[in-house]
């Protein structure tokens, strides 16, 4: 329930701090006095996008704050899920709008997103403006009414969850089929590419080894000659390095007994001799291995040409990348080979999900059919009480055969206010006054079937007057019989204004340089005068005052 609305620097409002009561309240005021501004401020608390143009002229920011009492513990889950403090006695929603265009939102002083404000707001307040009478043309709204009356909330949540799963499976199956179709189209080409790489029998380090071998084969004679010369210089000639080292060793041994440094030099020369001898043997062995082999050279060239051609064709830079491509091609071909199996698997999943969804849709349809009978009976009685004694109201439900986000039902409200008249779609036949009465009746029945704490009607009485307006006021008052329910009606009709438990007035005040809007709760005598003005206009008459008193007495 809305307890307090606080507004600073919003549109024509400089400062506003107004308390609201439970039960039936009314708001009156001349056209343009600022009633729509109050609704606009409330809309911001419910997640409507902010516009910096609504900031009062000359100010840098505006603040709208609402205090609510939460009489339903079901909201606790929302607060827990979103990490907000749960304060059922005083839940505070605040919006701050800055001239720069930025805005901030808070729930119990914790920053909040607009989506969170909307989610919470939908469970706190229902604002019905005149233009929302057009919802009667909307099949979604008609189903919403029916589901509320049939108490389908939990079943509808379960259906929607399964519907989303069904659509996801359906999309995944379509993607699989499309991918399989594309893969089939390129299967021959993929096979050709894979076979070409497979037949090449590539090895990871093959290219480097072949390139090295080709260098050796191409310069075999030069290599062999150089290695032969090196080996001769090391050990094959009489003045070879190794022979010279042996001579040096011999000379040093002659003085070994009486010249101490000789021992270390001999060890070092011996180590060098062994190392050089090993190098010489290695050179000799390698030299024998190197030979000019035209056939091998031809094979190596052909092999490298194969590798280079594959790298160029596939835009790769190494054998390793070619092998990665081969693996990828293998996976694609495996996927193609397994696609039929995958499609069958997802087809079965989709079939089972469809069965589940069909069962839920059937339950929804059955409950809607039962709920429609209840709704028709209640609407007929309520509309009859609102001056339509011969009203005909019927609900048609048709099976769409296709799954929709809210079931498989098409709904249509049929209406005729006259005895023996032909039933037609409600939106095509009802007058403005009849639409207002139908919408109020629907809203009152929905309120009875839900626990929405606050309903605000913005001139829902358009097109009616006299005793019908009085009966509409009685219905709005009856809607408050539920504990802690709050109904607020913005009205121009004295018959409705007189029925409110609390009466608020919106008015403008002209100052030197600006016009400001205010809202106040009227005292008993002020209320008599306000209703009298609504009866007689600007010129207040004694008869109007007496009529106003009589209306209030009848309340």
């Amino acid at each position: 329930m809305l307890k307090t609305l606080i507004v600073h620097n919003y549109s024509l409002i400089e400062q506003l701090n107004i308390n609201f009561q439970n039960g039936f309240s009314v708001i009156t005021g001349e056209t343009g006095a600022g009633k729509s501004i109050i609704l606009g401020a409330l809309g911001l608390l419910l997640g409507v996008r902010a516009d910096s143009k609504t900031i009062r002229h000359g100010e840098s920011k505006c603040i709208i704050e609402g205090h609510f009492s939460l009489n339903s513990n079901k909201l606790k889950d929302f607060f827990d899920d979103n990490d907000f403090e749960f304060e059922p006695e005083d839940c505070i929603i605040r919006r701050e709008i800055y001239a720069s265009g930025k805005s901030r939102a808070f729930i119990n002083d914790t920053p909040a997103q607009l989506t969170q404000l909307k989610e919470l707001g939908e469970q706190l307040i229902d604002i019905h403006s005149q233009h929302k009478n057009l919802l009667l043309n909307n099949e979604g709204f008609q189903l919403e009414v029916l589901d509320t009356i049939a108490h389908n909330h939990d079943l509808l949540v379960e259906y929607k969850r399964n519907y989303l799963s069904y659509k996801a499976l359906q999309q995944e199956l379509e993607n699989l089929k499309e991918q399989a179709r594309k893969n089939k189209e390129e299967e021959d080409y993929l096979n050709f590419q894979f076979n070409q790489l497979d037949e090449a029998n590539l090895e990871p380090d093959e290219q480097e080894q072949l390139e090295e071998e080709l260098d050796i084969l191409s310069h075999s004679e030069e290599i062999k000659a150089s290695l032969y010369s090196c080996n001769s210089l090391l050990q094959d000639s009489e003045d070879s390095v190794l022979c010279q080292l042996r001579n040096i060793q011999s000379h040093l041994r002659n003085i070994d007994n009486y010249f101490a440094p000789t021992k270390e030099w001999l060890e070092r020369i011996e180590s060098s001799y062994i190392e050089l001898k090993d190098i010489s043997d290695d050179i000799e062995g390698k030299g024998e291995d190197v030979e000019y082999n035209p056939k091998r050279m031809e094979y190596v060239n052909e092999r490298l040409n194969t590798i280079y051609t594959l790298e160029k064709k596939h835009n790769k830079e190494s054998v390793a990348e070619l092998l990665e491509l081969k693996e990828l091609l293998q996976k694609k071909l495996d996927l193609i080979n397994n696609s039929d199996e995958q499609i069958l698997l997802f087809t079965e999943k989709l079939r089972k999900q469809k069965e589940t969804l069909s069962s839920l849709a059937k339950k929804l349809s059955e409950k809607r059919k039962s709920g429609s009978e209840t709704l028709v009976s209640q609407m007929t009685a309520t509309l009859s009480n609102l001056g339509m004694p011969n009203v005909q109201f019927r609900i048609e439900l048709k099976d769409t055969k296709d799954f929709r986000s809210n079931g498989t039902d098409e709904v249509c409200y049929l209406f005729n206010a006259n005895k023996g008249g032909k039933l037609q779609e409600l939106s095509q036949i009802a007058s403005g006054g009849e639409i207002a009465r139908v919408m109020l009746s629907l809203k009152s029945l929905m309120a009875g079937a839900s626990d929405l704490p606050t309903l605000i009607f913005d001139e829902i009485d358009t097109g009616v007057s006299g005793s019908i307006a009085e009966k509409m006021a009685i219905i709005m008052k009856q809607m408050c019989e539920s504990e802690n329910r709050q109904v607020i009606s913005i009205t121009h009709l004295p018959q409705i204004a007189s029925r409110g438990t609390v009466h608020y007035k919106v008015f403008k005040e002209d100052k030197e340089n600006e016009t400001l809007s205010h809202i106040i709760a009227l005292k008993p005598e002020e209320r008599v005068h306000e209703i009298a003005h609504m009866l007689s206009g600007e010129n207040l008459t004694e008869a109007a005052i007496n009529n106003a008193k009589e209306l209030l007495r009848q309340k």
Side-chain angles (χ1 to χ4, degrees):
M1 185 186 77
L2 175 64
K3 298 194 302 180
T4 305
L5 178 64
I6 301 170
V7 181
H8 297 288
N9 298 323
Y10 177 72
S11 190
L12 298 181
I13 299 176
E14 180 181 19
Q15 299 285 340
L16 172 67
N17 189 328
I18 188 79
N19 295 321
F20 291 93
Q21 306 297 321
N22 63 346
F24 181 41
S25 301
V26 294
I27 298 176
T28 61
E30 295 180 2
T31 300
K35 297 186 294 295
S36 62
I37 297 175
I38 303 297
L39 290 180
L42 279 172
L44 288 171
L45 296 181
L46 304 182
V48 173
R49 289 199 171 275
D51 185 349
S52 60
K53 294 178 182 178
T54 58
I55 300 175
R56 195 167 72 90
H57 180 68
E59 300 296 332
S60 60
K61 75 171 183 176
C62 71
I63 299 174
I64 297 95
E65 182 173 294
H67 292 246
F68 299 83
S69 62
L70 311 179
N71 56 15
S72 175
N73 277 327
K74 75 173 187 178
L75 289 174
K76 189 175 187 307
D77 289 340
F78 168 84
F79 286 84
D80 291 342
D81 293 343
N82 293 280
D83 293 326
F84 295 126
E85 289 292 327
F86 183 57
E87 299 289 350
E89 298 302 319
D90 188 23
C91 173
I92 303 173
I93 302 176
R94 187 170 76 255
R95 289 291 296 277
E96 298 177 358
I97 305 164
Y98 297 84
S100 63
K102 294 182 179 180
S103 72
R104 297 194 300 169
F106 301 87
I107 296 176
N108 289 335
D109 290 326
T110 299
Q113 299 174 352
L114 289 189
T115 53
Q116 293 170 321
L117 257 62
K118 288 180 181 178
E119 185 179 350
L120 178 59
E122 286 173 355
Q123 301 179 73
L124 294 178
I125 298 180
D126 177 22
I127 298 178
H128 182 85
S129 303
Q130 287 184 63
H131 73 273
K132 286 192 176 181
N133 285 338
L134 297 174
L135 285 172
L136 284 176
N137 302 336
N138 185 291
E139 183 184 345
F141 174 74
Q142 293 180 3
L143 264 180
E144 181 187 346
V145 172
L146 194 49
D147 284 328
T148 301
I149 299 301
H151 300 284
N152 280 342
H153 177 269
D154 293 342
L155 181 58
L156 198 55
V157 167
E158 186 180 1
Y159 172 87
K160 288 181 177 180
R161 178 174 56 80
N162 279 275
Y163 173 78
L164 291 175
S165 298
Y166 174 78
K167 296 300 287 186
L169 279 171
Q170 199 174 50
Q171 184 61 54
E172 197 160 357
L173 181 58
E174 286 301 313
N175 291 342
L176 275 174
K177 289 180 177 179
E178 177 63 18
Q179 190 60 49
R181 183 188 64 78
K182 290 180 178 178
N183 287 343
K184 290 289 185 185
E185 289 177 356
E186 61 176 347
E187 183 177 10
D188 290 341
Y189 180 60
L190 291 174
N191 267 319
F192 170 74
Q193 287 183 305
F194 175 79
N195 290 335
Q196 195 176 42
L197 290 170
D198 190 50
E199 289 168 3
N201 289 316
L202 299 172
E203 297 293 337
D205 299 324
E206 183 179 9
Q207 182 176 344
E208 292 80 2
Q209 294 171 357
L210 289 172
E211 287 172 343
E212 183 180 345
E213 184 178 359
L214 181 61
D215 277 342
I216 294 172
L217 289 169
S218 300
H219 303 86
S220 59
E221 292 184 2
E222 182 182 348
I223 293 170
K224 199 171 187 70
S226 294
L227 292 179
Y228 177 79
S229 297
C230 289
N231 191 50
S232 294
L233 290 170
L234 281 169
Q235 67 176 347
D236 285 350
S237 63
E238 290 184 359
D239 59 347
S240 66
V241 173
L242 292 176
C243 286
Q244 295 294 333
L245 284 175
R246 286 302 185 202
N247 290 332
I248 293 170
Q249 283 179 313
S250 178
H251 287 298
L252 289 174
R253 286 192 186 100
N254 290 335
I255 59 173
D256 182 30
N257 292 329
Y258 39 84
F259 192 64
T262 305
K263 193 176 294 293
E264 181 189 348
W265 294 339
L266 283 169
E267 290 176 358
R268 290 168 65 186
I269 289 172
E270 182 63 27
S271 176
S272 298
Y273 179 88
I274 293 171
E275 180 67 18
L276 288 171
K277 181 70 169 64
D278 186 59
I279 291 173
S280 179
D281 293 341
D282 198 21
I283 288 174
E284 183 178 14
K286 295 295 184 185
E288 292 175 357
D289 292 340
V290 173
E291 62 178 12
Y292 177 64
N293 187 336
K295 288 186 178 181
R296 179 64 185 173
M297 190 172 182
E298 182 181 358
Y299 168 79
V300 171
N301 272 315
E302 288 178 356
R303 188 67 178 157
L304 284 172
N305 283 336
T306 299
I307 293 172
Y308 295 151
T309 300
L310 289 172
E311 287 176 345
K312 184 176 181 181
K313 177 180 179 180
H314 298 290
N315 195 27
K316 304 299 179 184
E317 296 183 354
S318 66
V319 172
E321 291 184 9
L322 288 173
L323 290 172
E324 287 178 5
L325 174 61
K326 178 186 172 184
E327 185 179 354
L328 178 62
L329 292 170
Q330 180 69 68
K331 288 180 179 178
K332 285 188 175 182
L333 289 168
D334 289 343
L335 183 62
I336 292 172
N337 294 330
N338 295 331
S339 60
D340 290 343
E341 184 179 336
Q342 286 290 311
I343 288 172
L344 285 174
L345 177 64
F346 272 86
T347 300
E348 179 61 17
K349 284 184 178 180
L350 187 63
R351 185 191 66 79
K352 290 181 178 179
Q353 187 64 30
K354 185 177 181 180
E355 286 182 356
T356 301
L357 201 58
S358 295
S359 175
L360 292 170
K362 185 178 179 181
K363 289 178 182 178
L364 270 175
S365 296
E366 290 171 352
K367 291 193 70 177
R368 284 168 176 167
K369 183 178 179 181
S370 175
S372 67
E373 295 172 358
T374 301
L375 182 57
V376 167
S377 173
Q378 292 177 340
M379 282 292 290
T380 302
T382 305
L383 290 172
S384 178
N385 188 45
L386 287 174
M388 298 186 200
N390 299 312
V391 68
Q392 300 176 71
F393 185 80
R394 195 170 80 215
I395 296 174
E396 280 190 353
L397 281 170
K398 296 180 181 178
D399 187 353
T400 65
K401 305 299 182 183
D402 296 321
F403 296 120
R404 298 180 176 182
S405 62
N406 54 9
T408 57
D409 297 308
E410 279 185 350
V411 65
C412 181
Y413 288 5
L414 301 176
F415 173 86
N416 196 296
N418 303 311
K419 191 174 184 178
K422 181 181 177 182
L423 281 164
Q424 296 184 48
E425 288 188 25
L426 177 62
S427 58
Q428 296 179 1
I429 191 172
S431 66
E434 289 167 346
I435 287 286
R437 282 176 276 176
V438 169
M439 183 58 85
L440 177 61
S441 300
L442 288 174
K443 286 285 185 178
S444 69
L445 296 177
M446 289 176 73
S450 66
D451 56 359
L452 192 68
T454 300
L455 294 96
I456 299 176
F457 293 107
D458 180 18
E459 299 183 5
I460 196 173
D461 46 40
T462 300
V464 300
S465 60
S467 62
I468 301 302
E470 185 177 354
K471 289 175 180 178
M472 290 179 74
I474 292 171
I475 288 177
M476 284 187 271
K477 194 157 188 173
Q478 288 172 342
M479 291 167 69
C480 302
E481 291 177 356
S482 171
E483 184 180 356
N484 290 326
R485 177 165 288 140
Q486 180 184 53
V487 175
I488 300 172
S489 177
I490 297 173
T491 183
H492 286 292
L493 299 180
Q495 293 87 351
I496 291 179
S498 64
R499 289 281 174 174
T501 304
V502 182
H503 188 156
Y504 301 92
K505 180 180 179 179
V506 178
F507 63 94
K508 282 183 179 180
E509 177 190 14
D510 290 325
K511 290 193 171 183
E512 185 177 351
N513 297 318
E514 62 181 344
T515 299
L516 298 177
S517 283
H518 303 278
I519 180 171
I520 58 171
L522 296 179
K523 297 175 182 177
E525 189 62 30
E526 294 172 329
R527 189 173 185 187
V528 170
H529 283 197
E530 174 68 8
I531 293 174
H533 277 300
M534 295 173 75
L535 287 165
S536 65
E538 186 175 350
N539 296 320
L540 194 60
T541 65
E542 189 66 30
I545 291 175
N546 290 332
N547 284 339
K549 288 179 178 178
E550 179 61 20
L551 284 174
L552 288 167
R553 186 190 66 77
Q554 291 176 358
K555 178 193 71 170

